[in-house]
Amino acid sequence: MRIGIDFDNTIICYDKVFADVARQRALLPEGWAGLKTDVRDYLRSRPGGELAWQGLQGFVYGKGIGGAEIYPGVREFLAACRQAGASVCIVSHKTQFGHQDPDRVDLRDAARGWLRGAGLIDAADAAISLGDVYFEATLAAKVERLASLDLDIFIDDLVDVFEQPHFPKTTRAILFTRSQSPHPEHCEPIATWADIRREVFAA
């Protein structure tokens, strides 16, 4: 079995670090609480909010990535992949540099560093090798890459990926989401990694 997984907001969770950094920058009111998407929506509703949001992204995805967390259940899923002899790769839409980032931190290197620090690559028992981590500059290039890998399953948090006309019809599409809104018929919305593991490996 060949399994592909998205990186941002699928393996790595930025909810806490986005809120923390936004509070440090006094971009949120006292006592505000919410997820990454709530931070984005709040900032975009304010004057100059789009630039503030881009600056926040540039920092969090680069220098601030160490404050991000791994989603619960990812390690157990990857352990099940190893046990089943499945090959795993990461395919992510990630530009090399962030918008509004004066430090010009290489976001791809930062992501690889986070993966290394989390023990997901370059570790003796890692299910993913560094050579199987792909970062693409555009959404279209991401889908081209995953199509070229002839995957049995691809897991992503974005419906947009599965709606691309060249997304391979032979690849099972698992949408990592808690949303109850309507999803394309060919997507399987699953809310947790524990449920994804049970669905993929029937365990």
Side-chain angles (χ1 to χ4, degrees):
M1 193 188 309
R2 297 175 59 79
I3 299 173
I5 310 175
D6 174 51
F7 179 65
D8 291 319
N9 310 301
T10 302
I11 289 174
I12 184 172
C13 178
Y14 296 103
D15 289 335
K16 183 176 181 294
V17 66
F18 263 104
D20 287 349
V21 175
R23 275 192 288 267
Q24 290 164 16
R25 296 185 175 191
L27 295 172
L28 298 173
E30 197 69 36
W32 188 95
L35 305 177
K36 173 197 166 185
T37 49
D38 300 318
V39 174
R40 178 198 65 200
D41 294 346
Y42 175 80
L43 291 181
R44 283 177 170 171
S45 73
R46 316 289 293 174
E50 182 59 37
L51 282 181
W53 169 244
Q54 289 179 10
L56 199 61
Q57 281 184 301
F59 177 81
V60 168
Y61 292 153
K63 279 188 172 179
I65 199 170
E69 301 167 323
I70 188 169
Y71 271 104
V74 169
R75 293 187 191 282
E76 292 79 2
F77 178 82
L78 292 175
C81 289
R82 282 197 305 273
Q83 189 172 0
S87 65
V88 184
C89 63
I90 291 172
V91 186
S92 169
H93 170 203
K94 184 180 284 295
T95 57
Q96 189 167 7
F97 301 104
H99 301 296
Q100 308 300 322
D101 177 18
D103 297 319
R104 300 288 286 169
V105 173
D106 188 314
L107 303 184
R108 297 174 180 180
D109 281 349
R112 291 185 194 99
W114 184 91
L115 285 164
R116 197 171 286 114
L120 301 186
I121 59 172
D122 287 356
D125 61 345
I128 307 166
S129 67
L130 181 58
D132 290 325
V133 178
Y134 303 96
F135 295 118
E136 304 296 343
T138 65
L139 180 59
K142 171 180 173 172
V143 174
E144 285 168 13
R145 170 71 71 179
L146 69 88
S148 75
L149 295 168
D150 194 24
L151 301 173
D152 297 296
I153 296 171
F154 192 71
I155 304 162
D156 204 310
D157 69 302
L158 286 180
V159 172
D160 289 1
V161 173
F162 304 123
E163 289 183 327
Q164 294 296 300
H166 56 308
F167 184 87
K169 291 179 170 53
T170 53
T171 298
R172 182 178 177 187
I174 294 179
L175 180 65
F176 177 55
T177 181
R178 293 180 179 84
S179 167
Q180 297 303 308
S181 58
H183 303 296
E185 280 185 17
H186 64 285
C187 286
E188 298 173 65
I190 303 180
T192 69
W193 274 100
D195 287 340
I196 292 174
R197 187 181 82 249
R198 281 188 283 269
E199 181 65 27
V200 172
F201 296 106

